[in-house]
Every structure is written in structure tokens, then in C-alpha cells.
Amino acid sequence: MKEAGAALGAVTILSFMSRLYQLAEPPHVCWDETHFGKMGSYYINGTFFFDVHPPLGKMLIGFAGHLTGYNGSFSFLKPGQSYGSHSYVGMRGFCAFLGACLPPFVFLIVFRMSLSVGVALLASMLVLLDTGCITLSQYILLDPILMFFILGAVLSMVMFQSYSSRPFSALWWLWLALTGVNLAGAMGVKFVGLFVVILVGVNTARDLWKLLGDLTLTLDVILYHLAARVICLILLPLTLYALIFVVHFTVLNKSGPGDGFFSSAFQSRLIGNNLHNASMPEYLAYGSVVTLKNVRAAAGYLHSHWHLYPEGVGARQQQVTTYSHKDHNNLWIVKKHNAEYDSESPLEFVHHGDIIRLEHKATGCNLHSHQQEAPLTKKHLQVTAYGTNGTGDSNDFWRIEVTSDKHKVKVLRSQIRLLHLATSCVLGSTGKTLPKWGWEQSEVTCSPYLRESPDTLWNVEDHEHHRLPKISVSILKPSFLEALVESHIVMLRANSGMKPKEHEVTSKPWHWPINFQGLRFSGVNTTDVRIYLLGNPVIWWLNLSGLILYVVLALCAAVSLQRGFILCSEVKEVFTLLLGSGGQLMSWWLLHYVPFFFMGRVLYYHHYFPAMLFSSMLTAVTLSSLLQLCTTVLCPSRQQAVNAIGMSLLAGALLYSFYLFHPLAYGMVGSLADEPDSPMAGLRWMDSWDF
């Protein structure tokens, strides 16, 4: 244990030195710091924003900035923007601290799984000396936070399993609870944290299955084990995950750039939003003047203006669009389809199934559709505003459907659909941007596809009716549970719909294990400090070879044991390690890698790094096993010496590769890699490496 403690201490010291080195350089915004630094500022200022990931990572970044003297006033406009006198090192330091914990975590996980200091030391070196892991750890990013919680969950699970002979002891409970805490943390940073939740869930199911087969345990004891795991691995993470959103909603209580992604009812919670503490009639009636907001994330209000569709774009009638800003051209009057509104007639509420007309208040034209192609979405029908002073034709008639209670239309809360009576299509917003003739507003169409989707759902946001009493919209604010559900719907919808930005470097999952292409973090010219996210090629290609080698060795081991070959005790131990711990690590790598092949959203190189951690652990187990198998032909007195020499040579090769490629992480200055006087001359081994 002294040897293990000394090795762990050395790994920890070197890890913190490598991650904290030159932390303030370069003193400008690098890569995605423009997003996550800005989001940290929003937390400090209490300004509501939207992101496709859960809030914990950004919340912790903002908290770290607040503790280290950053006041949230820096704009984080674009990469390359100088920080000037603003305090940014604290936020980088927080991420670097968590990133520095990864090599020690890897050491402890592999040591517990292999009971070998040498294997654990090799695994931790593969992470410690990887230039990609260093680069990701040194900037204001979510990746080091995510990987900290992923490895924290795995380490806690492995430590918990090591106390299986002492069930219900204090340390048993501690590691079980810490596993649950880290699961909540991983899910609270990014949704890909779900992979480690599945990892722990599968291992927990396997443990419980083993306990069920232990006939020395009574059914009561097995139920206690089950209850402990339900409490610590399900209820505790769910409670903490919900608590993250409690803090998120409490801190971000001011109107900001994220308002438009959420429903009108949600926006009424935010101080400074026009709906906060507003009052209006609760239910829609004939004669009401309303604005209709599309439910799709970041969609706008149903809008029209005096401008007509140009020649060749459907009928030359008044344009109807969605517009994301408040405007008097968003106002519509609700009328019966066959009668004008009479202020002297009895008041009538609008109900589910009613046939209505919507008259544009500013121009007097009715919302209208007909058998003409939509301007951009050719399979949909065109929507226009038609008629004069509310007088039009039968193509102005729409049936209103309330999707929830099928009763009256409640402002903010009811989601409605408008079905065109003549063509049986449904009013919707495609989200496509119209050309300049449409003032670059969004296209509105009548869709023949009647399935319910956010594109075809609307809610009443503003509502005026001089004959109806007003209520405070504060009573219509969503509950915490409703806000939580809505947040996840919006995040998941936006996540799945992410597309690459112009000139953005994206990648495919098959690129990642071969280290095909990196990401430029900072700098382009010879006068810039250039940071390039690229894994240490020696380590990544060693990991790739390790994966292939593992499959071969594991297959040999499985066949040998299954066929009952006569094997010496040393070989049996190696085969057991390969199939046991090696098999687990292989499955964990697959779990964190294979799902990306089935994702429809845009993908980036840095998504592979959690899987790379497990690949590095597997490489250490595989190479040490191969070395042990090769030395079994030697006499016992020489086996240990040959093992030590082999490990030393491997460690030396890793250190030399780090020496060669460390400028990728710490900064390249001067000539580019294709020039002979460059510090990276001769190291651009693949044409796709853009440094």
C-alpha cells in the first residue's frame, strides 16, 4: 500500500502541475469559452438564458467566478476577445482543478480493478500525458466538469464494491451515496451523463443478481440491499438533480435572452418580462384582441403587415409570418366565422371546436389559406391575410382545437391548433427564414400533416377585452414540476436539432479513435499563440491498438478457459483479469462511444473524451497482460525484472511523445508546422491536423 500511495501522490502532483501550468495564457477568449463564460456571467447577474445542456456545469462556473472576484460584466462576444482587467483565471482554475482530478481517479479505479500498481500507473500516465485532456481542462468548458463526475461515479462504484464483504458499514454507505451524488452531477452537466447512469445501473443489477443467488442471505437482507440501492442510486440522484433546477430557477429570475425559448406561462415568472405581474382576462371570448405565440422553441408571434407576397410566390396577397419581437402587427381580433362582433350582444366565450375568423387588427384583413404552395415549404399551403375591413370569404374560416382540457381557451396555459376548414390543413410555423421580401421573418404555412407537433401549436399570450374582468397572470405561472418538464422538453428538442454553424469544424464518430482531426482553440497566424485540441497521437494510436489487441487476447482467453486447456496459475490470473476487469472496461468504452453513431445532432471531436478515459484504462490492462503472458516463458526470478523494463520503456516513450506534442496544449508561437523552423516541424503526421 505504501508503494500505491507514493505512486498516487506522484500522479496527483504531476497532474495538478500539468493542468495549472500557464493557466492564464492566452489572456483572451478561447473557443467555447465564449458560450460557457457568458453563461457563468448570466448566473452572477441573475439573467435568464437558454442552453441545450442541464445547468449544473454553468452554475458551478459562475459560482467559481463569483468566489474569485469576477463580477459578471465581461461580454464574451467572440473567441480572441481580450479579457483585459477582468478576472477570468478563477473560472479556468476551477475547470483545471476538476480536470487535474482525472489521472488520480483513473489510478484508483484501475488499481482497485487490477490490484496492480504498475497497471494503475500506466493507465494514469495515458491520461496525464494526453495533450487533449490537458487542453480541455485548462479552459472555461463543461468537459472537465462532466468527466470529473463520470469518473467520480465509476470510482465511487468500484470503491463501494470493494466493501461488499462489509455491507451496511459506514464506508459502504458513504461510497454508495457518493455514487448517487456523482450520477446526479454527471446528468446535471450534460445529458450524455446518462451513459454513466446506465453503467452503474447495469453493475448494480448484476450485484443484486449475485446476492439473490447467495443462499446464506435471507430474503430480508436482500430486500435491505435493494432498498439501500434504491435510496442512494435512484432517489438521492433524482432529488439532487431536481435541486439543481430549483437553484437554477431561483437564481435566474430576471428576463434575458432565453425567454423566447419558453412558453408564455414560463416567461411570466421572470422579472422584467412584459408578462411578469401583468393582468389580463383569463379566458378567450369573441371580440378579444390577442397575440398568438407559436409553441416551438424560439418561435415568434403570428404576424402580418401591409406588404404583399411578390409575383411568383403564391397569391399576391398580404404576407403572414411569425415575428420574434413585440409589435402592434401581432394583434388579431377573434370573431365568429359568420357574424361581426357586436359589443351589445351577450358575451360568448370561445370553446374547443368553434369555427372562428382572425382579423388582423392593423390592416383589417382575415387570416386566410388556399390551394397555393407555401413560399419555402412547397408541400404546405400558403397562408395570407385577405379581405377588407374583416370581410373576406370562406377560406378565412378556422376551427379551433384546445389540446388539453377541450373546453375554453385559457391565456398562457392552453395550447391550441387552428384547422383550416376548406383545405383541412393546420396552421403552423416552419421556422424557415423568408428572403428580404419577407423582412427575414419566419415562414407561416398551412400544413397538410395533421399530427400534433410544436410547430402547429399556439398559445394566447396577450389578451384584451373591455368586457371581461382581468386576473393577475401570476396565478397562471407554472409549478416547479411543470417548469422542470418544460425545460427538459425544450432542451431535448433543441439538442436533437443542433446543426453545424457556418465554417464550423465538425466530425464523425469514426474519426475519433484514430485522432483524425482536432479543433483550433486559439490563434491562426504566426504572431498568435496557437492552441490546438488534439490528443497525443502516440497515446491515442496506442489506445486504438489496445482495443484491437484486447479483442484478440480476450477471445483467446475465453476459448482457452472454455475448452479447459491446461494453464499455469499465472496465465489463468491474466486471463481472469482480461475477461473480468478488461471486459468491464471494454463495455464502458462501448457505452460511451457507440451511441454517438445513432445521434442525429451535430457532433464534435471533444465528445469522445469520456470514452477515451475508459479506452486508456483498457489499454493499460491489455498491455500489462500481454507483457505478463510474454514473460511466463522466463524463470520467475527474471519475470519481474522484464516486466519492470517493459513498463519503463513504455513510460519513457509516453514521456517523449508528450515532450514532442506539448506545444499543442500550452501554445505554439512562431512558424507554422509545415515550415522547417517550427517547433512542430515534422510532427504534422496527418494532413487533416490543422496546426
Side-chain angles (χ1 to χ4, degrees):
M1 291 301 292
K2 284 185 178 179
E3 185 184 359
L8 176 61
V11 167
T12 303
I13 291 169
L14 291 172
S15 182
F16 276 86
M17 288 174 61
S18 63
R19 271 62 180 172
L20 297 176
Y21 178 66
Q22 290 189 345
L23 195 61
E25 299 296 328
H28 58 245
V29 177
C30 293
W31 195 50
D32 270 359
E33 285 188 326
T34 186
H35 299 303
F36 302 120
K38 184 185 296 181
M39 292 170 188
S41 300
Y42 286 143
Y43 277 105
I44 293 171
N45 297 319
T47 304
F48 188 77
F49 69 95
F50 168 72
D51 185 41
V52 297
H53 306 299
L56 180 60
K58 288 90 66 178
M59 196 184 300
L60 292 174
I61 287 170
F63 185 58
H66 176 69
L67 290 180
T68 54
Y70 172 58
N71 61 8
S73 60
F74 186 67
S75 59
F76 287 96
L77 287 177
K78 61 181 180 179
Q81 180 185 5
S82 174
Y83 282 115
S85 60
H86 292 273
S87 177
Y88 64 97
V89 177
M91 291 183 283
R92 282 188 181 176
F94 169 72
C95 294
F97 177 86
L98 297 187
C101 292
L102 301 182
F105 282 7
V106 167
F107 181 94
L108 290 169
I109 291 168
V110 176
F111 179 69
R112 283 292 174 182
M113 296 180 74
S114 67
L115 300 179
S116 168
V117 174
V119 180
L121 194 56
L122 176 58
S124 59
M125 284 186 69
L126 291 170
V127 178
L128 173 68
L129 300 176
D130 180 58
T131 49
C133 286
I134 292 173
T135 303
L136 276 183
S137 298
Q138 288 198 308
Y139 298 94
I140 306 170
L141 302 172
L142 297 185
D143 301 271
I145 308 173
L146 173 67
M147 291 190 287
F148 173 85
F149 284 118
I150 288 174
L151 286 193
V154 174
L155 174 60
S156 300
M157 179 191 73
V158 170
M159 293 298 293
F160 164 72
Q161 290 173 336
S162 71
Y163 284 91
S164 59
S165 60
R166 295 164 55 188
F168 307 110
S169 63
L171 288 173
W172 185 91
W173 278 108
L174 173 65
W175 288 113
L176 182 61
L178 283 176
T179 305
V181 170
N182 282 290
L183 291 180
M187 278 293 294
V189 176
K190 283 188 176 184
F191 285 124
V192 291
L194 178 63
F195 300 155
V196 78
V197 174
I198 296 171
L199 184 159
V200 171
V202 170
N203 276 269
T204 301
R206 188 185 64 177
D207 288 346
L208 288 171
W209 186 252
K210 286 181 180 178
L211 289 172
L212 189 62
D214 186 350
L215 300 182
T216 64
L217 299 177
T218 65
L219 186 58
D220 287 346
V221 172
I222 293 173
L223 289 175
Y224 291 150
H225 276 280
L226 175 62
R229 287 160 173 81
V230 169
I231 291 169
C232 292
L233 300 182
I234 297 177
L235 298 181
L236 177 62
L238 285 176
T239 302
L240 293 175
Y241 186 74
L243 187 60
I244 291 168
F245 280 87
V246 170
V247 176
H248 174 69
F249 293 143
T250 303
V251 173
L252 302 184
N253 61 351
K254 299 175 186 174
S255 178
D259 294 18
F261 288 88
F262 290 81
S263 68
S264 304
F266 187 98
Q267 292 180 44
S268 68
R269 305 169 57 257
L270 302 171
I271 298 170
N273 188 283
N274 67 298
L275 293 172
H276 183 69
N277 289 335
S279 59
M280 63 183 69
E282 183 174 10
Y283 292 104
L284 202 64
Y286 290 104
S288 291
V289 179
V290 300
T291 61
L292 294 176
K293 185 176 186 295
N294 192 256
V295 171
R296 186 176 56 82
Y301 301 92
L302 187 66
H303 177 96
S304 187
H305 40 233
W306 289 102
H307 304 279
L308 307 181
Y309 286 101
E311 289 287 349
V313 182
R316 191 163 166 76
Q317 296 174 5
Q318 192 169 295
Q319 296 174 16
V320 173
T321 64
T322 55
Y323 186 50
S324 57
H325 301 284
K326 295 282 187 179
D327 189 283
H328 71 280
N329 281 326
N330 300 340
L331 296 174
W332 301 82
I333 304 170
V334 182
K335 295 185 174 182
K336 290 185 175 182
H337 73 288
N338 56 359
E340 287 297 315
Y341 171 67
D342 182 359
S343 60
E344 301 299 324
S345 62
L347 187 67
E348 291 185 64
F349 289 103
V350 178
H351 290 81
H352 170 76
D354 282 3
I355 299 172
I356 65 169
R357 279 181 299 138
L358 287 175
E359 180 185 325
H360 189 239
K361 185 178 180 183
T363 63
C365 296
N366 294 328
L367 186 69
H368 178 98
S369 187
H370 45 224
Q371 294 288 351
Q372 297 270 0
E373 282 184 345
L376 302 179
T377 310
K378 299 303 183 183
K379 292 185 178 180
H380 292 195
L381 301 183
Q382 182 188 33
V383 174
T384 68
Y386 173 76
T388 305
N389 296 324
T391 302
D393 61 24
S394 60
N395 282 330
D396 304 339
F397 301 162
W398 302 81
R399 176 180 286 109
I400 191 165
E401 289 188 352
V402 185
T403 61
S404 51
D405 59 8
K406 310 290 185 184
H407 190 48
K408 292 189 289 188
V409 180
K410 181 182 284 192
V411 295
L412 305 186
R413 302 307 296 269
S414 292
Q415 292 186 349
I416 62 173
R417 301 204 314 160
L418 292 170
L419 271 73
H420 191 240
L421 212 60
T423 61
S424 299
C425 58
V426 60
L427 185 74
S429 171
T430 63
K432 297 177 182 177
T433 302
L434 294 168
K436 288 186 178 180
W437 57 255
W439 302 92
E440 297 182 341
Q441 296 172 9
S442 295
E443 180 189 39
V444 169
T445 68
C446 202
S447 170
Y449 307 109
L450 299 183
R451 67 182 186 280
E452 190 174 299
S453 74
D455 294 346
T456 59
L457 290 174
W458 306 81
N459 68 266
V460 177
E461 181 165 299
D462 299 294
H463 181 205
E464 299 173 9
H465 198 300
H466 68 280
R467 296 173 62 189
L468 287 174
K470 295 182 178 181
I471 62 164
S472 171
V473 298
S474 61
I475 67 173
L476 302 176
K477 288 191 297 188
S479 65
F480 167 73
L481 187 59
E482 289 172 321
L484 182 66
V485 170
E486 181 176 346
S487 295
H488 281 77
I489 291 172
V490 173
M491 284 189 291
L492 291 169
R493 194 180 290 149
N495 216 319
S496 63
M498 285 184 70
K499 303 298 179 190
K501 304 181 185 74
E502 191 176 359
H503 306 306
E504 191 173 37
V505 178
T506 62
S507 61
K508 295 181 171 65
W510 68 266
H511 291 171
W512 303 338
I514 63 175
N515 216 20
F516 179 76
Q517 187 177 36
L519 280 168
R520 186 183 290 118
F521 262 47
S522 172
V524 178
N525 303 313
T526 57
T527 55
D528 299 332
V529 176
R530 301 187 301 280
I531 308 293
Y532 191 73
L533 175 66
L534 184 73
N536 183 328
V538 174
I539 290 174
W540 282 56
W541 292 342
L542 188 65
N543 283 347
L544 182 61
S545 304
L547 290 167
I548 299 168
L549 183 60
Y550 173 78
V551 173
V552 174
L553 290 179
L555 187 61
C556 293
V559 171
S560 299
L561 294 175
Q562 187 69 14
R563 293 296 299 170
F565 293 165
I566 299 173
L567 304 169
C568 64
S569 59
E570 292 91 344
V571 173
K572 280 186 177 180
E573 285 180 13
V574 172
F575 282 180
T576 302
L577 176 65
L578 275 171
L579 296 177
S581 298
Q584 281 187 297
L585 291 169
M586 183 69 169
S587 65
W588 298 348
W589 172 75
L590 290 170
L591 181 59
H592 284 80
Y593 175 51
V594 172
F596 287 103
F597 284 93
F598 304 97
M599 291 186 185
R601 55 154 289 171
V602 62
L603 297 172
Y604 303 99
Y605 172 61
H606 65 100
H607 288 148
Y608 182 68
F609 277 81
M612 178 268 177
L613 299 175
F614 295 110
S615 176
S616 298
M617 294 186 236
L618 179 61
T619 298
V621 170
T622 303
L623 293 181
S624 65
S625 298
L626 178 64
L627 194 57
Q628 284 182 276
L629 289 173
C630 292
T631 57
T632 53
V633 298
L634 302 174
C635 60
S637 60
R638 293 186 178 179
Q639 286 181 6
Q640 191 170 358
V642 172
N643 271 326
I645 292 170
M647 286 291 193
S648 299
L649 289 173
L650 189 54
L654 295 178
L655 285 167
Y656 183 63
S657 70
F658 176 73
Y659 165 74
L660 291 177
F661 287 97
H662 77 275
L664 293 173
Y666 295 127
M668 299 168 282
V669 182
S671 302
L672 302 178
D674 53 0
E675 298 177 18
D677 60 338
S678 169
M680 302 301 292
L683 295 176
R684 191 165 175 251
W685 297 344
M686 295 182 72
D687 292 337
S688 53
W689 296 350
D690 190 20
F691 59 79

